[in-house]
Amino acid sequence: MQKQFIQNGPSRLTKSHSSTFVKTAILTFLCFISISLTKAANSVIIPVETAHNTLLLQTDADNHLLMTYFGTKLADASEYKLISTQNNQKDVNAGIFNHAFTPAGTWNLVEPALSITHADGNISTELIYVSHKTEQVNDNVKILSILLADPVYKTEVTLYFKTYIKEDVVEQWSVIRNNEKGPLNMQKYASANLSFIAKDYYLTHFHGGWGREMKPEQTLLTHGIKTIDSKLGTRANLFEHPVFIMSFDKPAAEDEGKVLLGTLAWSGNFRMDFEVDAYHNLRLIAGINPFQSEYPLAEGTEFKTPSFIYTFSDKGTGEASRQLHRWARNYRLMDGNGSRLTLLNNWEATYFDFNQEKLVKLFADGKKLGVDLFLLDDGWFANKYPRNDDFAGLGDWEPNVKKLPDGISYLVKEAGKAGIKFGIWVEPEMVNPKSDLYEKHPDWVIRQTERPEHYFRNQLVLDLTNPEVQDYVFGIMDNLLGKNPEIGFIKWDCNSVIFNAQSAYLQKTKQKQSQLYVDYVHGLYKVLERVRAAYPVVPMMLCSGGGGRVDYEALKYFTEYWPSDNTNPLERVFIQWNYSYFYPAIASCNHITDWSKVGLKYRTDVAMMGKMGYDIVVSNLSENELKFSQQALKTYDSLKDLIWHGDLYRLASPDENPYASLMFVNENKTKAVVFNYVVTNRFDVTYSPTPIRLNGLDASKKYRIQEINLYPGTTTTLNASAVFSGDFLIRNGYNSEMNLLRTSVILEVTAQ
Ligand code: DGJ
């Protein structure tokens, strides 16, 4: 075979054949370029701009919409039209690689964004630019919509680009509309299809498992496709988080280099394909995972895909994170610019072993400690099969009469008397087979009736595609919050993945089983919408057996999230660090627990870099520990505005150093707080032989640096009266003198 190929190939051409071949090729190429140039002059150019960046879309000679540029804005916008003239990656045989929403079945030979079976069974789709318009939402927000249509079938796709100008964030989604006669079926229906040109592409994605969330892994992308995805249904991010860092040309750095942070706002199965194509372009396709999810679209209806959210910076991951944090606080995270409650949780302190007397004592403990709220965790409900462990009771949401004879309202009242707010844990989407709910409504449970059941934490998932189940789940919340409007906090948990994906409701209503994964998530959002319509302000924590469900669609409804059940502070430095690329500190619930033997100061200092809480037995604290914690809460009170609403600067990565260092700076650069943590157990005389450069300060200001949150009986080794210029702190840095006795050091930086 090989031999024959060589004989038939160009090497067998005679000299004259060969020169004719080359001439023809060059002529064709030049002709192609001149046609392209002429047509380019008539083409439609659509810049998607934020304060610093541009994503450029342009139609080609055949009215295909192509993505021709992505990066820092050009100084002269009139040069946008020249961009396509400089790109000769046009290969008539190989199709189009940079289409803005690549359809399957016609000219395309690469990974599609859209794959459809039309009403007549045809599987080809073409998308041609029709029109575009821009809606100015306010001074800072615009929505550009671009209509594409199939010239043969009446399928339409509208691409939406919502730009948040100051924050340099783009939110992109698509709407697919069926104007054909009859229903069509979508095999793939992505949210976004982007393409990039760079020397190299370095992808950092974040994998994990229970207790080991957000483990970064950086890889140089080679030709072909790298996919990150989830097929777990619920608790969808257990093994892979729907976030990534793409670094162009060279690996991502904190303060320099071109990086894109991206995330899919979807609380279910997601898929992101990173394809380095034959021309070394990067094609990115992000959306709902098409895995077992063929979705029908009835005549005259449309499907809105989830938002793919991204931000670009040519100043490294630090700037990109700050952009995303500002966007999240201003536009996405519920009450993003508001306040949060410090709390005492009883999960690790009592597990299932409590009663109302014990809880009332814990309220008093919480008050003594100085937190705002007591959070009652799992184990307070179910009577037929009491919830005394995780094998039973889930689904039966009446208070357990043995543990809580006077019900929830008694607890709320007692907490009030103790001068502390009351919050409560729920896991309303789930059911134990050992429950009254399961016995009464087996058809409400996602399961294969003919196959053995598979359990994840001994439980199954309720079928939220079913409106009756949606009513039931809403009813749980309505019952709790309606009867007890004083409830000050909800922790919404979700501990199981979906096994045996089968819905009795979809069966009964003659819908496709392949709708289950998608309709489940839509059902969940419907419930959350109703909860928020009825109870718009109660703070809610998004939890999923740790950090199994953290995404920017769910965070529309939640004020905060639980990053991991792993509360070992050393592990937490890494986990919280990695979440910090995408989510602002105000959303990260960091609890001080007894999970490890690490000293209380270190545990407290680590929890302070987000929203601090406790999950300890307060009565077990020594006198000094209690004194320290009470003081720490006061210190935190004075810093929380800075941590929750300030800008984060990551200074030294725990992955690259024996310590981690990060700081928050307020808007006018008059106040900052620096957190330093030793992250190794290896012996050293000092862990910070050299200073760590600070960031985000005003070089022309003078700052005093003071160590805070000292443990009773200890004193700082730092000179509390020294004043430094911002310039000095930025260029030379500051040494916080971390050593074996000073494994965590918090510095307050105040402009003079
Ligand atoms: C998993 C959560 O992550 C924990 O914090 C705790 O609430 C348990 N569930 C309760 O079952």
Side-chain angles (χ1 to χ4, degrees):
M1 264 326 252
Q2 179 76 356
K3 201 162 170 220
Q4 195 186 359
F5 170 75
I6 290 168
Q7 280 176 355
N8 289 338
S11 62
R12 274 205 69 212
L13 296 175
T14 61
K15 212 173 173 196
S16 72
H17 273 133
S18 157
S19 66
T20 317
F21 175 82
V22 171
K23 272 186 214 149
T24 315
I26 290 173
L27 273 174
T28 313
F29 179 70
L30 289 176
C31 176
F32 186 76
I33 294 278
S34 75
I35 290 170
S36 305
L37 280 171
T38 331
K39 296 234 168 145
N42 301 327
S43 73
V44 179
I45 296 180
I46 312 171
V48 180
E49 290 182 310
T50 57
H52 300 101
N53 306 320
T54 300
L55 181 163
L56 195 70
L57 298 161
Q58 182 167 357
T59 55
D60 71 1
D62 300 312
N63 262 337
H64 290 119
L65 186 69
L66 311 182
M67 180 166 157
T68 52
Y69 178 79
F70 183 88
T72 309
K73 241 181 196 173
L74 298 188
D76 179 357
S78 73
E79 289 189 322
Y80 284 147
K81 61 179 180 298
L82 301 178
I83 286 176
S84 68
T85 66
Q86 301 303 302
N87 189 334
N88 288 332
Q89 297 178 5
K90 287 152 188 142
D91 184 338
V92 277
N93 295 317
I96 305 165
F97 291 162
N98 58 340
H99 197 276
F101 205 70
T102 314
T106 46
W107 44 263
N108 172 40
L109 300 172
V110 284
E111 186 62 31
L114 181 72
S115 178
I116 285 176
T117 305
H118 297 279
D120 64 1
N122 188 294
I123 56 168
S124 68
T125 302
E126 166 68 306
L127 289 175
I128 296 297
Y129 166 83
V130 178
S131 63
H132 70 280
K133 60 176 190 231
T134 303
E135 178 199 339
Q136 187 83 39
V137 179
N138 59 38
D139 280 359
N140 192 45
V141 183
K142 281 186 196 172
I143 302 178
L144 163 73
S145 56
I146 308 174
L147 178 63
L148 310 176
D150 188 318
V152 176
Y153 286 91
K154 290 192 169 167
T155 312
E156 284 176 2
V157 174
T158 309
L159 303 182
Y160 287 87
F161 296 84
K162 188 168 183 182
T163 41
Y164 301 84
I165 313 294
K166 270 197 285 205
E167 293 79 10
D168 277 307
V169 167
V170 182
E171 181 179 356
Q172 190 181 339
W173 68 94
S174 62
V175 171
I176 301 151
R177 185 167 176 81
N178 177 11
N179 291 329
E180 298 177 24
K181 289 261 160 289
L184 55 77
N185 280 304
M186 301 186 295
Q187 283 81 37
K188 192 162 183 203
Y189 34 101
S191 299
N193 180 176
L194 301 177
S195 62
F196 311 93
I197 301 172
K199 180 179 161 289
D200 283 311
Y201 309 95
Y202 291 85
L203 170 70
T204 307
H205 63 103
F206 297 81
H207 68 101
W210 179 79
R212 49 189 177 87
E213 286 83 350
M214 290 295 279
K215 288 195 179 278
E217 214 161 40
Q218 189 176 69
T219 177
L220 168 69
L221 293 178
T222 55
H223 292 87
I225 301 182
K226 164 85 185 168
T227 296
I228 60 168
D229 76 342
S230 167
K231 302 184 183 75
L232 308 184
T234 43
R235 202 174 172 175
N237 313 146
L238 181 62
F239 301 143
E240 187 73 46
H241 296 261
V243 292
F244 69 86
I245 301 170
M246 177 58 63
S247 178
F248 300 101
D249 301 330
K250 54 187 182 181
E254 191 63 16
D255 294 316
E256 56 118 15
K258 292 180 240 164
V259 295
L260 173 81
L261 301 190
T263 179
L264 191 78
W266 180 246
S267 313
N269 292 347
F270 69 91
R271 174 163 144 187
M272 301 189 206
D273 290 317
F274 301 86
E275 178 174 17
V276 179
D277 68 24
Y279 285 98
H280 204 70
N281 307 312
L282 174 67
R283 306 181 65 252
L284 164 57
I285 298 179
I288 289 175
N289 197 337
F291 165 75
Q292 296 218 311
S293 293
E294 181 174 82
Y295 205 89
L297 203 53
E299 180 181 332
T301 63
E302 58 186 34
F303 183 91
K304 180 175 185 264
T305 63
S307 293
F308 177 60
I309 293 154
Y310 49 99
T311 187
F312 173 81
S313 171
D314 60 8
K315 297 187 184 60
T317 42
E319 186 60 27
S321 286
R322 288 186 287 280
Q323 290 168 186
L324 202 53
H325 294 173
R326 280 182 211 126
W327 168 82
R329 289 193 303 256
N330 291 339
Y331 296 102
R332 186 54 70 116
L333 174 69
M334 183 158 175
D335 198 20
N337 288 311
S339 186
R340 297 292 185 271
L341 300 166
T342 55
L343 57 80
L344 174 65
N345 191 188
N346 72 313
W347 175 240
E348 288 191 32
T350 66
Y351 293 104
F352 297 95
D353 180 21
F354 57 82
N355 57 30
Q356 70 184 29
E357 287 71 44
K358 202 165 175 180
L359 292 178
V360 170
K361 282 197 191 120
L362 295 183
F363 299 162
D365 283 351
K367 182 65 190 170
K368 185 158 73 176
L369 188 62
V371 293
D372 302 315
L373 177 129
F374 177 85
L375 170 61
L376 172 58
D377 215 284
D378 196 353
W380 58 266
F381 50 91
N383 286 300
K384 185 169 179 185
Y385 303 105
R387 180 78 173 166
N388 292 329
D389 53 37
D390 58 16
F391 285 88
L394 209 50
D396 303 345
W397 292 99
E398 71 286 352
N400 178 275
V401 289
K402 262 206 183 139
K403 289 181 188 170
L404 309 177
D406 298 314
I408 297 299
S409 40
Y410 171 79
L411 295 178
V412 175
K413 224 184 299 139
E414 287 302 308
K417 277 195 213 155
I420 195 166
K421 289 183 196 271
F422 178 82
I424 195 159
W425 176 98
V426 289
E427 194 181 2
E429 299 158 74
M430 304 282 159
V431 63
N432 282 126
K434 211 166 157 199
S435 69
D436 201 29
L437 181 73
Y438 181 93
E439 288 172 358
K440 287 201 177 117
H441 295 286
D443 57 323
W444 283 8
V445 179
I446 295 177
R447 56 201 271 271
Q448 300 269 0
T449 45
E450 305 303 316
R451 296 184 190 279
E453 288 180 347
H454 283 281
Y455 305 124
F456 204 104
R457 209 199 183 201
N458 319 305
Q459 64 194 57
L460 292 164
V461 182
L462 292 175
D463 181 7
L464 274 180
T465 68
N466 185 341
E468 269 178 29
V469 178
Q470 292 169 19
D471 288 346
Y472 171 77
V473 173
F474 172 71
I476 298 164
M477 304 309 295
D478 200 30
N479 191 34
L480 268 174
L481 292 166
K483 281 192 192 147
N484 305 288
E486 305 87 346
I487 287 182
F489 191 84
I490 296 287
K491 176 176 178 183
W492 182 304
D493 207 346
C494 159
N495 283 288
S496 178
V497 304
I498 294 179
F499 288 123
N500 282 336
Q502 167 91 3
S503 153
Y505 171 76
L506 290 173
Q507 191 85 9
K508 199 168 92 193
T509 52
K510 302 208 167 14
Q511 301 186 71
K512 280 173 177 270
Q513 286 300 328
S514 58
Q515 287 172 242
L516 175 55
Y517 286 125
V518 173
D519 285 352
Y520 182 93
V521 181
H522 286 153
L524 173 66
Y525 294 153
K526 276 188 197 154
V527 172
L528 290 169
E529 280 293 329
R530 286 170 71 183
V531 170
R532 278 316 184 190
Y535 307 101
V537 293
V538 60
M540 295 209 297
M541 181 207 285
L542 179 59
C543 172
S544 181
R549 181 194 268 169
V550 188
D551 69 80
Y552 271 124
E553 193 61 26
L555 285 171
K556 272 183 180 170
Y557 307 99
F558 291 85
T559 48
E560 48 222 85
Y561 69 91
W562 182 234
S564 176
D565 279 349
N566 187 341
T567 49
N568 175 320
L570 182 62
E571 297 286 337
R572 274 292 184 134
V573 171
F574 289 83
I575 293 172
Q576 292 166 193
W577 181 277
N578 286 308
Y579 275 110
S580 85
Y581 286 106
F582 305 95
Y583 304 101
I586 189 171
S588 176
C589 295
N590 305 339
H591 291 182
I592 297 145
T593 75
D594 290 325
W595 178 302
S596 76
K597 292 199 167 52
V598 176
L600 187 62
K601 170 166 164 61
Y602 190 97
R603 283 181 273 157
T604 308
D605 288 358
V606 172
M608 273 195 184
M609 67 182 262
K611 201 217 87 167
M612 184 161 90
Y614 287 82
D615 195 346
I616 51 170
V617 183
V618 177
S619 55
N620 287 350
L621 294 177
S622 69
E623 198 183 319
N624 262 349
E625 284 176 332
L626 179 63
K627 202 164 134 199
F628 167 72
S629 303
Q630 289 167 330
Q631 185 51 46
L633 275 157
K634 292 198 182 106
T635 305
Y636 183 68
D637 208 44
S638 70
L639 296 174
K640 66 190 188 191
D641 180 48
L642 186 54
I643 298 165
W644 295 348
H645 309 121
D647 274 332
L648 167 69
Y649 290 84
R650 287 177 294 259
L651 306 176
S653 162
D655 283 313
E656 292 160 13
N657 302 280
Y659 51 79
S661 183
L662 63 140
M663 67 191 282
F664 295 90
V665 185
N666 71 352
E667 204 181 344
N668 47 17
K669 299 178 185 296
T670 53
K671 203 173 167 193
V673 58
V674 188
F675 294 98
N676 304 283
Y677 314 109
V678 172
V679 293
T680 176
N681 289 326
R682 305 288 307 274
F683 172 81
D684 211 337
V685 179
T686 169
Y687 292 103
S688 49
T690 51
I692 297 171
R693 286 191 195 97
L694 304 194
N695 206 340
L697 299 175
D698 181 341
S700 65
K701 284 191 165 62
K702 296 271 190 218
Y703 294 94
R704 183 180 307 279
I705 298 193
Q706 204 182 354
E707 181 172 3
I708 55 170
N709 215 33
L710 290 162
Y711 198 74
T714 63
T715 49
T716 184
T717 57
L718 306 173
N719 175 357
S721 54
V723 170
F724 302 88
S725 70
D727 180 58
F728 178 90
L729 295 170
I730 293 166
R731 293 185 195 289
N732 179 72
Y734 183 82
N735 197 324
S736 58
E737 298 180 2
M738 282 179 275
N739 60 38
L740 282 174
L741 298 172
R742 294 167 53 78
T743 52
S744 69
V745 178
I746 304 185
L747 306 170
E748 190 175 33
V749 181
T750 316
Q752 299 303 292

